[in-house]
Each structure stands twice: as C-alpha cells, then as structure tokens.
Amino acid sequence: AREEVLKGLPAPENSHELLVSCHGVGGKAYADIKKGTAAYANGLAQMKAGQTISADLKLSYVIRGVTSVHGESDHVANNTAYAANLATWQGDYETDAKALTAQTEPVPFFHTQMSSWTRYNSATSTIPLQQLQASLASGGKIVLVGPKYFLPYTDGVHLTNAGYRWMGEYYAKAYRRVILERGTWEPLRPKAVTLSGAVITVQFLVPSPPLVLDTTRVKDPGNYGFEYWDNSSAPPPIAKVALVGAHSVEITLAKAPAGKTRSIRYAYRGAVGANAGPTTGARGCLRDSDATVGRDGNPLFNWAVHFAEAVP
C-alpha cells in the first residue's frame, strides 16, 4: 500500500495499517459459525479489542472487510440455501461492525469458490454455483476472488503451504482493488450466452483481456473444461472449443441441440473420488492475461469460475 498505491499522498493518507485476526473454525458449516455461535461472538470480541488497541495508539479504526475460505462442509450437508446464507453472513458482519465503530464504510465479504468436491465422492456440487450466485446478487458486498482448481493441493481438499500463500495473494489483489483503490472486483466469469444453430457463444467479463486456453498450467480434462447438457435423450457432444476475440469462447456442438432446457457448464464435473487440483480435479483451462505477479513470484492470472449457465 505504501510503496505502490498511496505513495505521494499526504499523511495520514499515505499509510494503511492493518490489524488482522482469525476467528474461523476448521471443518465447520455455516450453521456452526454464523451469528449466534461462539465463533461469531469471538469475531465480534476481536473487533472490540481492535478498537481498544487503536484508541490506545491514538489511531482511527474501521472494519475493512471479512475474508472466508469455506463451503466444503455445506457441500457435505447439501445446503441448498448457501447463497442466502452468504448474504446473511455478510449483512450480519456489516451491521455489527457499523454498530461498534459508527463507520459509514461497507464491510465486504471476500471469498473463493470451493473446488474440491470430487474428494468428497461427488461428481458435481451446487456450492460453487451458489457462491457465484451470491456474489452477483450482492451489488459488490460479496466479493468472489475466484476459483481454486488451479492451485496446488496436498490431500485433495487442502492446499499446500505454498498454495495457501498463493491463494492469499489473490485475496490481496482483490482487497487492493476494492479497499485501497476504491474500485470493484469481479472474477473471470460468464457475462452472456447466445445460441446460433449448433454454436454456443459465451461472452465473459475479463479482468485483463485477452482470454487464454492454458493447458500447461491446468491439464485439459476434455474440451478445456466445457460441457453441454440439455433435457433431450441424447444431448449433442461438443465438437470444438475456440476463442473468439479477446472476451468470448465459441463452443460448437456436433449438431444443433433439440432439447428445450439447455446449459453450458465449465469446471462443473469431475471424477468421483479424485483429488482437487490442476491435473486431477474438476477444472478448466480458461484464464485471462493479468500480468500481476505476487510477492512470492507467482503469476496471478484470473482463472474462469465454476459455472453452469442457461443457453437460450
């Protein structure tokens, strides 16, 4: 913050001091850490302690945001209300933070999609789709940093130590955009879907164009991670996937689809029991061209989110 974003501004605007605390509990579903639980109460106690520390140092105090890495336990619980839970979770933190500090600033909730459901003996999961849904519906209050399928895993569910550091750099990139630069952050996600004959075109919101199909960093699971589904007895297979310009992907089916309920999906399905990760899990090869490099030297390309979009 001091070296790149706030450099040259007058004091105290040229500094951004952070006090970070953790009140999460590993392996717990939303019901076990939401407002009214001991974990949530610990978070509020930490907010109050931070305010006391700041006052002793004669510093102003604002709750800047909440970060979460979550979703696996709610996948196991088959929580179909998870998107609504995320909205409530963010709203509760913001309401309680504002009551404590009297701040006018919002309290965004930063999170990533879970990418490890195959390790729980599931081929698909609604949780990453609900995480995307909650972000889109939140008006910027729930910030989806991105997916995690491209990162290194150690046991198929948890990342390696280097993987968590790498993931943290993505959170930092989104935090910088939203908090320090006072902008907005959205991941690489579908923006519009059209159908013409046998050709489906998906237009993406691309943080740093152009799009790239990268089979070096992520092993191609087939069709670069895209799949087509409809309610006919035999949905046509994908014949070709190609980039069109800097923002779109063209998926050509073997023939025009006959089904009336149609869906184009990405990084949606994986092999039951497989470890998550860039060579084995539910994944895709689509990323942008973000040239940002983390402090550890890791590339911070934005990889496309898990999604299932209706085809009109």
Side-chain angles (χ1 to χ4, degrees):
R2 294 192 196 101
E3 295 169 4
E4 299 176 11
V5 183
L6 308 176
K7 188 175 182 179
L9 294 178
E13 297 175 37
N14 60 349
S15 184
H16 187 79
E17 303 296 335
L18 288 177
L19 176 62
V20 181
S21 64
C22 178
H23 60 279
V25 181
K28 296 297 183 180
Y30 166 76
D32 301 312
I33 50 181
K34 66 180 182 178
K35 184 169 183 174
T37 65
Y40 189 93
N42 287 340
L44 295 187
Q46 290 169 356
M47 289 184 189
K48 292 176 183 177
Q51 187 178 46
T52 300
I53 292 168
S54 300
D56 290 343
L57 296 173
K58 295 181 171 54
L59 296 173
S60 60
Y61 182 70
V62 172
I63 307 298
R64 293 293 184 185
V66 176
T67 60
S68 171
V69 184
H70 195 256
E72 287 81 1
S73 293
D74 284 272
H75 164 80
V76 173
N78 192 29
N79 183 0
T80 58
Y82 191 66
N85 294 158
L86 288 175
T88 300
W89 213 2
Q90 185 278 326
D92 286 341
Y93 276 118
E94 182 167 300
T95 297
D96 289 338
K98 287 182 173 180
L100 174 66
T101 67
Q103 69 189 64
T104 57
E105 293 91 337
V107 181
F109 187 96
F110 296 83
H111 71 131
T112 44
Q113 284 179 313
M114 70 165 286
S115 299
S116 58
W117 62 87
T118 54
R119 194 66 180 82
Y120 295 93
N121 294 318
S122 301
T124 63
S125 176
T126 69
I127 295 300
L129 307 183
Q130 292 190 69
Q131 289 170 325
L132 174 59
Q133 175 190 351
S135 175
L136 293 174
S138 73
K141 291 194 172 187
I142 298 176
V143 182
L144 181 55
V145 176
K148 295 193 286 286
Y149 57 79
F150 63 95
L151 293 168
Y153 284 74
T154 180
D155 60 0
V157 173
H158 301 93
L159 303 175
T160 64
N161 57 351
Y164 279 116
R165 183 177 179 89
W166 194 353
M167 180 196 72
E169 292 179 314
Y170 277 91
Y171 275 81
K173 185 172 73 168
Y175 180 93
R176 170 177 172 155
R177 179 71 55 82
V178 174
I179 305 299
L180 296 180
E181 299 175 350
R182 300 185 181 184
T184 58
W185 173 257
E186 289 198 70
L188 174 53
R189 65 166 180 84
K191 188 176 179 181
V193 179
T194 58
L195 173 66
S196 178
V199 178
I200 300 168
T201 301
V202 183
Q203 182 184 2
F204 286 84
L205 187 153
V206 186
S208 298
L211 290 171
V212 176
L213 291 171
D214 187 339
T215 58
T216 300
R217 292 176 175 85
V218 174
K219 183 179 179 182
D220 185 2
N223 296 314
Y224 304 106
F226 288 91
E227 66 173 273
Y228 170 77
W229 176 90
D230 66 31
N231 63 349
S232 68
S233 58
I238 293 175
K240 181 182 178 183
V241 175
L243 300 178
V244 180
H247 298 84
S248 297
V249 176
E250 193 174 83
I251 299 102
T252 303
L253 305 178
K255 62 179 180 179
K260 299 302 181 185
T261 302
R262 301 180 288 257
S263 176
I264 188 69
R265 300 163 171 178
Y266 172 84
Y268 176 83
R269 189 182 309 274
V272 172
N275 288 341
T279 63
T280 53
R283 62 197 187 276
C285 303
L286 186 65
R287 64 165 174 84
D288 73 356
S289 298
D290 194 332
T292 306
V293 176
R295 292 293 177 106
D296 233 19
N298 294 311
L300 299 184
F301 302 121
N302 300 298
W303 293 82
V305 297
H306 302 276
F307 68 82
E309 291 288 307
V311 178

